[in-house]
Amino acid sequence: MLQTSARLLRLLSLLQSRPDWPGAELAERMEVTTRTVRRDVDRLRDLGYPVESTPGIAGGYRLGVGAALPPLLLDDDEAVAVVVGLRGSAAGWVTGIEESSLRALSKIEMILPSRLRHRVSSLQSAIMLLPGDCPVVDASLLTALATACRAHEGVRFGYRDTTRRVEPYRVVRAGRNWYLLAYDLDRDDWRTFRVDRVTGPIQPGARFTPRAEPEGGTETYVSDSLTRAPYRYQATILFHAPLEKVAQTTTPTAGRLEARDEHSCLYYTGAEALDTIAIYIALKGIDFEVLEPPELREFVADLGTRLSRAAAGGR
């Protein structure tokens, strides 16, 4: 009986970890037969879990939407993340869900093990949000976009006086803002949208088959779309210092770091003016080289000459 119960918990945890599971893959992960998986799925259904069968040659399962929210299984890291996130939401990080966040928080903290309470307290003590520090985002909007990403459902929304039809892929927090990475169907290309600039109700669209990630991966695309693509000058800088050291003096919304070796790293950034990049890079106090563009190399050389003259008393 204990073995069966443990197996049901394991099956429930797997079903909650992603939208769809082929039956054969579930059996392999649980080290049982597909027949045992079918029996365990029936047991979960008897307990009220809305486990749906998915069509196809091999067949599969997904955890569907039921009349009530079934119990969730969280590992230690997930539980800590949920509690910290709920505390932030209760404090107003996301508008419109303060009271519901407090109710959910009280339920979870009531059963939180002591070892996790210490981790939450240690992490929370190091977090402070000053009033007006970042734009708040409507909770229902953020939830709708995140749900569409997970379900692979297209959406339509207003954005900067236009209507956009997209296939949502990922909701990303960068710096002080939330962004939606999506494939724009009308422009036939990937786009990044600031969530707080989305207007009007989210209109659901048809389900879609996820596309391959943008070239370079999601993190690279989102970072470049925020820090390089919108600007007149796009620069690549070689820092003669480890990535960890340079990362201490920059932010994800200012540029993207990429390790070259253990002693150096590349920095990708952009700006409307050359002096903006030159001064920002120079003030880091780390030796660097300008790899591109050529105009920035010339500007830095000229700036260095003028600064040297100023240090020598104008001679």
Side-chain angles (χ1 to χ4, degrees):
M1 185 65 180
L2 289 176
Q3 183 179 6
T4 301
S5 299
R7 198 173 61 242
L8 288 179
L9 290 174
R10 172 62 174 160
L11 175 58
L12 182 58
S13 178
L14 290 172
L15 290 173
Q16 290 177 348
S17 66
R18 77 185 205 200
D20 297 283
W21 280 93
E25 188 175 350
L26 275 177
E28 182 180 353
R29 290 288 294 271
M30 297 178 60
E31 299 181 349
V32 297
T33 65
T34 54
R35 182 179 179 183
T36 299
V37 171
R38 287 196 297 271
R39 289 203 301 265
D40 288 346
V41 166
D42 288 337
R43 291 190 179 99
L44 288 178
R45 288 167 175 164
D46 292 339
L47 293 172
Y49 290 93
V51 183
E52 302 173 352
S53 299
T54 58
I57 299 177
Y61 304 96
R62 71 163 64 98
L63 197 59
V65 178
L69 179 68
L72 301 176
L73 295 178
L74 303 175
D75 61 27
D76 286 0
D77 291 339
E78 291 170 340
V80 170
V82 168
V83 171
V84 172
L86 286 173
R87 286 184 177 182
S89 298
W93 292 5
V94 179
T95 185
I97 59 172
E98 295 88 349
E99 292 185 7
S100 56
S101 295
L102 284 174
R103 292 198 304 270
L105 183 61
S106 64
K107 293 179 181 178
I108 295 179
E109 290 193 335
M110 186 182 301
I111 59 174
L112 201 65
S114 59
R115 68 179 187 281
L116 298 186
R117 290 179 184 273
H118 177 71
R119 287 179 57 184
V120 170
S121 298
S122 299
L123 183 58
Q124 192 69 34
S125 65
I127 298 175
M128 176 179 292
L129 184 68
L130 297 178
D133 184 57
C134 59
V136 293
V137 177
D138 182 76
S140 60
L141 173 60
L142 201 60
T143 301
L145 292 175
T147 301
C149 291
R150 185 177 183 275
H152 307 312
E153 292 180 348
V155 293
R156 181 196 300 265
F157 53 77
Y159 193 79
R160 289 182 171 176
D161 299 324
T162 64
T163 299
R164 313 301 280 266
R165 298 184 309 118
V166 305
E167 296 176 352
Y169 181 75
R170 189 75 57 83
V171 178
V172 180
R173 179 67 182 267
R176 304 194 309 160
N177 298 304
W178 287 96
Y179 297 90
L180 171 68
L181 172 64
Y183 193 88
D184 193 312
L185 297 175
D186 294 320
R187 290 155 182 79
D188 196 25
D189 199 3
W190 292 95
R191 289 290 188 272
T192 303
F193 304 92
R194 262 185 60 169
V195 176
D196 60 304
R197 293 176 178 171
V198 172
T199 60
I202 299 296
Q203 301 177 14
R207 287 178 61 90
F208 61 88
T209 301
R211 302 171 186 267
E213 285 189 319
E215 184 177 356
T218 299
E219 182 178 351
T220 297
Y221 180 87
V222 173
S223 179
D224 286 349
S225 68
L226 301 180
T227 63
R228 282 167 58 88
Y231 300 108
R232 176 183 178 186
Y233 296 105
Q234 300 178 9
T236 302
I237 310 297
L238 172 62
F239 280 111
H240 296 289
L243 182 147
E244 293 77 14
K245 179 179 180 180
V246 181
Q248 296 173 5
T249 64
T250 189
T251 64
T253 53
R256 177 171 58 88
L257 283 170
E258 178 182 298
R260 193 177 78 158
D261 54 44
E262 59 182 358
H263 303 297
S264 63
C265 61
L266 296 172
Y267 186 60
Y268 303 92
T269 188
E272 289 299 314
L274 293 173
D275 57 355
T276 302
I277 303 175
I279 298 300
Y280 180 75
I281 297 301
L283 289 179
K284 293 184 182 298
I286 301 173
D287 290 342
F288 67 91
E289 297 177 33
V290 177
L291 301 185
E292 60 179 28
E295 304 98 301
L296 181 59
R297 283 199 300 270
E298 297 173 3
F299 183 90
V300 169
D302 181 61
L303 178 62
T305 300
R306 286 187 280 121
L307 291 176
S308 296
R309 285 201 303 266
R315 295 189 299 273

